[in-house]
Amino acid sequence: MATMYYRPGVTSWNTGSAGSWSNTSGGANNGLVPDATTDVVFDFRSAPTCDLVNASDGGGSMVRCKSITTVGWGGNFSASIGDGLDVRGDADLSGVNSYGAGRLQLSGTGTFKPWCSAGSNVAIYAAAQPGVVITMGADLYLASSLTIGYDASATFNANGFNITARSIDINGTVNMGSGTWTVTESAQGAQIVSVATGATINAGTSTLKFSNAAGPTIRLFFNGGGKAFNNVWVDYTSGATLQINDSGNTFSDLKVSAGAVVRFLGGVSLTLGSLTSLGGPSQKITLAGTPSSPSQYTLIKSGGSPGYIDYADISWLNASPGSWLARSSANSGNNTGITFVPGNSNFISFM
């Protein structure tokens, strides 16, 4: 099959005898349904809604196409959990107003331009087959999860764009680029970033930002797979916690907003180029072990120069290489390798 156009006056990807597809824009029913070899087009003549179910190509509830463009459409996809769209090449969904609650699977090499709505609940599976390369063509705003990479052979290029998702799971190679990756999960106990040990992270000049969690009862989990990240920003409020669960990760800079808590599983080590505190005299940041059975964790200062931690409440820290100074900070016990000294700086830097 070549190119098919979604017709006016229909409501579903496959409406059976009514016929949803034409060989021309706004044209007559061709009696066919797209499959993984078809380029599909939604344009200004297409019907404003499309239900992504009832696939007839043997794919169950997932409809399939080779590529898709929606430029000039402005319509809505609808799908239930488990239903959705599988694209084997370029996916230009910039003309989609909303997607619904289903899934989008990018199973072939191509460029992905997502919709602009921030409220979409679709779960995206990017580079969902071996060897696939996905290149972003616009910012992605997602209220649900983003899964990147079927296996270690898949590649995802952020290409300088920003990524926003509720949680992120990574396999394969991810080129984070120069944008901001924002994780918005706020549910207690959720694993919000999980990186497979076989994955590759090329951090570039990106920022990985954790936001939206609020309140002292909220604790969320980071598993970085022992990878190197650039800037990491814990921007939680009212005592919410990011807990780092695995060793071997490196952050060029860890920034912590006032009132936020960073906890570490016992025995975990993290290497830092710098640590920036946004805390102050009335609202310190917190560096601590796990709440139920804390034991020491290690912060390793890269570069060999002294490290400074300001306006922090610190406990269970083993500071390495033992030349860290905590200024205007509280020693809450079980710390080694760090010296608490008076000071009034509101900025943490490593000199």
Side-chain angles (χ1 to χ4, degrees), residues 197-285:
T197 56
T200 300
I201 299 292
N202 297 315
T205 58
S206 64
T207 295
L208 176 59
K209 181 180 181 181
F210 300 93
S211 69
N212 204 42
T217 63
I218 302 299
R219 182 160 48 114
L220 303 106
F221 304 124
F222 171 89
N223 292 273
K227 310 304 180 186
F229 298 84
N230 188 47
N231 297 325
V232 177
W233 183 2
V234 183
D235 191 30
Y236 292 156
T237 61
S238 306
T241 294
L242 177 71
Q243 181 170 306
I244 297 175
N245 279 349
D246 62 340
S247 291
N249 299 296
T250 298
F251 300 166
S252 295
D253 178 70
L254 172 61
K255 181 162 65 174
V256 185
S257 290
V261 179
V262 181
R263 293 188 181 275
F264 300 83
L265 199 64
V268 161
S269 64
L270 172 67
T271 299
L272 296 178
S274 60
L275 195 158
T276 302
S277 171
L278 301 182
S282 62
Q283 194 175 31
K284 294 179 171 64
I285 69 170

